[in-house]
Amino acid sequence: TIAGTKDFNPQRQLTRAEAAKILSLFAKNILCRETTSTYSGGMFKDLAQTDEVSQSYLILSYEYGIFHGDVGGMFRPNDIISKDELTAVLIRLVMNEYNETQGPNRAQNYRKLLENNASIPLNNVTRGNAAEVLYDLYKNNTYTLDTEVGFVLK
């Protein structure tokens, strides 16, 4: 998982574990977030597919309400995150809301929210583009302090 600037490689695609780490650290250190859920052991059946440090970020991303895993109880930490998945977790991060609907257009709400709140489009799922969009979401929007969870985009 991303360890520092020499490892950033902005053209490389982003894994779900890397996204969990970046977004969890952003939630904690930038948005002063408090966790809203508690992870119960065994919720992600594939947690052991990654190292202990990465596991802690996968769990933290769940506790912040950013990632929820899939219907089969898998996190898929080593999978490349899809554009729709990244859109959803970015919006969950900044809005602290789970806006999920069911069906083939379930990502539509997240796409619309990203389009309305980011001036830089999420064109691909590289580390560089994800970092640009995250920075844009933070820099170009107004956040309010919710004393129970931290700063949220309203």
Side-chain angles (χ1 to χ4, degrees):
T1 307
I2 297 173
T5 30
K6 68 179 181 179
D7 301 343
F8 183 61
N9 194 356
Q11 299 307 316
R12 206 179 105 212
Q13 290 183 305
L14 192 64
T15 67
R16 290 172 54 86
E18 291 167 339
K21 179 178 182 179
I22 292 166
L23 300 181
S24 293
L25 289 171
F26 194 89
K28 178 181 179 181
N29 298 319
I30 305 299
L31 299 176
C32 304
R33 264 313 145 68
E34 297 292 332
T35 57
T36 55
S37 300
T38 302
Y39 179 81
S40 299
M43 289 176 71
F44 297 134
K45 298 173 187 172
D46 56 350
L47 208 56
Q49 291 181 6
T50 189
D51 61 89
E52 285 183 28
V53 172
S54 294
Q55 288 176 21
S56 68
Y57 288 111
L58 304 183
I59 291 168
L60 192 57
S61 72
Y62 172 82
E63 292 179 340
Y64 280 131
I66 301 168
F67 275 92
H68 296 278
D70 65 21
V71 294
M74 306 294 269
F75 191 96
R76 303 184 338 268
N78 301 313
D79 286 3
I80 299 300
I81 192 167
S82 74
K83 184 176 177 179
D84 281 344
E85 289 170 334
L86 185 56
T87 299
V89 296
L90 284 167
I91 293 300
R92 288 180 197 149
L93 167 71
V94 297
M95 300 189 100
N96 197 49
E97 291 179 9
Y98 189 73
N99 294 305
E100 201 77 26
T101 59
Q102 298 303 313
N105 295 322
R106 65 186 227 152
Q108 188 171 357
N109 289 341
Y110 292 117
R111 284 188 216 117
K112 191 68 171 166
L113 287 166
L114 186 63
E115 182 181 303
N116 290 340
N117 291 292
S119 60
I120 295 175
L122 185 60
N123 292 324
N124 52 51
V125 191
T126 63
R127 292 169 163 201
N129 188 223
E132 288 174 322
V133 173
L134 179 58
Y135 178 75
D136 181 61
L137 279 170
Y138 177 68
K139 180 182 176 220
N140 296 317
N141 288 288
T142 302
Y143 288 77
T144 56
L145 179 60
D146 178 325
T147 56
E148 293 183 19
V149 296
F151 287 95
V152 293
L153 175 67
K154 291 294 179 184

